[in-house]
Amino acid sequence: MPRTHVGFRPTPDARAALDSLPGEVTTSHDPSGQERAALLADVAGCDAVVTLLTQRVDKELLDAAGPGLRVVANVAVGHDNIDLDACRQRNVIVTTTPGVLDQATADLAFALALATARRVVEADAFIRAGNAWTWSPDLFVGLDVTGATLGIVGFGRIGQQVARRAAAFDMRVLATPSRSGAAAATELGVETMPLDRLLGESDIVSLHCPLTPETRHLIGAEEFALMKPEAILVNTARGPIVDEAALAAALIAGQIGGAGLDVFEHEPDIHHDLVGRPDVVLLPHIGSAGRRTRLRMLELALDNVRAVLAGETPPTPV
Ligand code: GLV
């Protein structure tokens, strides 16, 4: 009888999806699955493990699971937490959850762009602090989003959804070139160009590339120097794509105008210079945190497990 361990505590609405798995299913008592020792103990003897992006799937975990492990189903579109080579060497299939979170993540990228550009969080804090105010021509004046130029770095599924939203804001949309995004760029009237030109022309730069060795610190001091002084950086992708110390320095120096961040270089720690800044909006990695989206992510992860356990090709392997 196959055994699947879910490395976190699923929400009650996921019960039906869990019950549909064959064999024995165990779940962590810990909602966020952050107790490493418990995870290593729980995966012992499993055929399938369902993981979160915060859980390292490395040789240690694969050893702890043992030779019967057939699939690691990550409940995330990213897989930078997984040692793919180690999985390959042990014939462990790795799956992720692409597609089902594109809309929610694009929504949040737009929420961050709007909140940062129009100083929503700063203005809210001003009211809650009990400040006296009256309508005034220069009160919390920010960047106009409608009509602005949006630069999308990484024109994959999520980047394309961001471009669709930008159309409703009459934005000029730029993107770094990608083979898979070429048809969508033509359809949506998106101009593709190299990163340095995109950075120089954009009012808002939104990151949507995966974290790989090539994209680590893709945006650093040199890139901030190319951006407009009023430009806003939005990151809903992965923190280490941005050199966070260089970002803080660029904001302090007035090289760029603000940042809307859902992800951080050393999550959950955040660079101390960013925390006190009013021109930065900070969110705790909630890009896909829509109720329906989160359920669909788990369901897709379990579909992958079910397929592998049945000896079939899973729907979304890496
Ligand atoms: C979220 O960050 C994901 O990779 O799904």
Side-chain angles (χ1 to χ4, degrees):
M1 188 169 73
R3 197 177 137 229
T4 300
H5 180 68
V6 179
F8 53 96
R9 194 176 69 207
T11 52
D13 56 354
R15 204 61 255 171
L18 289 169
D19 288 346
S20 72
L21 278 187
E24 186 193 352
V25 180
T26 54
T27 60
S28 170
H29 64 277
D30 170 14
S32 64
Q34 288 318 291
E35 293 168 24
R36 179 77 177 171
L39 179 66
L40 294 178
D42 288 343
V43 299
C46 277
D47 299 82
V49 179
V50 182
T51 52
L52 298 178
L53 62 90
T54 45
Q55 294 171 324
R56 262 181 305 110
V57 178
D58 52 10
K59 293 192 179 85
E60 182 187 40
L61 185 135
L62 298 171
D63 286 343
L69 184 65
R70 289 151 72 187
V71 58
V72 171
N74 212 31
V75 188
V77 67
H79 52 71
D80 45 281
N81 57 315
I82 299 177
D83 182 340
L84 293 181
D85 286 338
C87 290
R88 210 172 293 122
Q89 277 160 17
R90 293 158 206 238
N91 290 322
V92 173
I93 294 171
V94 176
T95 68
T96 56
T97 60
V100 293
L101 47 65
D102 301 349
Q103 308 280 358
T105 307
D107 288 350
L108 198 86
F110 241 89
L112 276 173
L114 286 163
T116 311
R118 297 299 307 278
R119 305 171 63 183
V120 170
V121 177
E122 194 187 344
D124 178 275
F126 170 84
I127 294 243
R128 288 176 202 270
N131 287 294
W133 62 281
T134 182
W135 191 94
S136 153
D138 57 358
L139 188 62
F140 288 108
V141 170
L143 177 77
D144 280 299
V145 173
T146 295
T149 297
L150 170 69
I152 299 176
V153 179
F155 201 57
R157 281 178 304 260
I158 298 172
Q160 290 165 30
Q161 287 300 330
V162 172
R164 288 186 190 280
R165 284 152 180 74
F169 287 80
D170 292 330
M171 297 174 100
R172 176 179 173 224
V173 184
L174 320 177
T176 50
S178 83
R179 217 177 315 139
S180 65
T186 308
E187 180 205 335
L188 297 167
V190 172
E191 301 165 50
T192 54
M193 60 183 65
L195 179 63
D196 53 353
R197 211 181 120 205
L198 177 148
L199 292 172
E201 295 192 20
S202 299
D203 301 305
I204 298 171
V205 174
S206 194
L207 306 181
H208 299 288
C209 50
L211 174 62
T212 64
E214 292 72 40
T215 62
R216 184 173 292 273
H217 283 195
L218 181 70
I219 308 295
E222 279 177 32
E223 287 68 32
F224 290 121
L226 298 173
M227 290 172 67
K228 298 183 187 178
E230 70 277 18
I232 284 169
L233 177 75
V234 173
N235 190 2
T236 54
R238 282 292 183 272
I241 297 168
V242 176
D243 178 342
E244 211 164 277
L247 169 61
L251 287 161
I252 290 166
Q255 261 179 329
I256 69 167
L261 306 172
D262 185 42
V263 288
F264 303 92
E265 188 170 353
H266 304 290
E267 247 166 78
D269 296 334
I270 301 177
H271 193 284
H272 49 87
D273 285 337
L274 296 178
V275 178
R277 293 196 64 85
D279 51 4
V280 176
V281 177
L282 305 167
L283 298 179
H285 203 149
I286 55 171
S288 64
R291 256 187 293 279
R292 188 185 58 225
T293 298
R294 282 287 163 84
L295 181 58
R296 290 178 72 196
M297 288 167 72
L298 181 63
E299 285 171 346
L300 180 51
L302 299 183
D303 286 347
N304 279 298
V305 168
R306 200 176 300 103
V308 174
L309 295 181
E312 293 160 9
T313 306
T316 50
V318 172

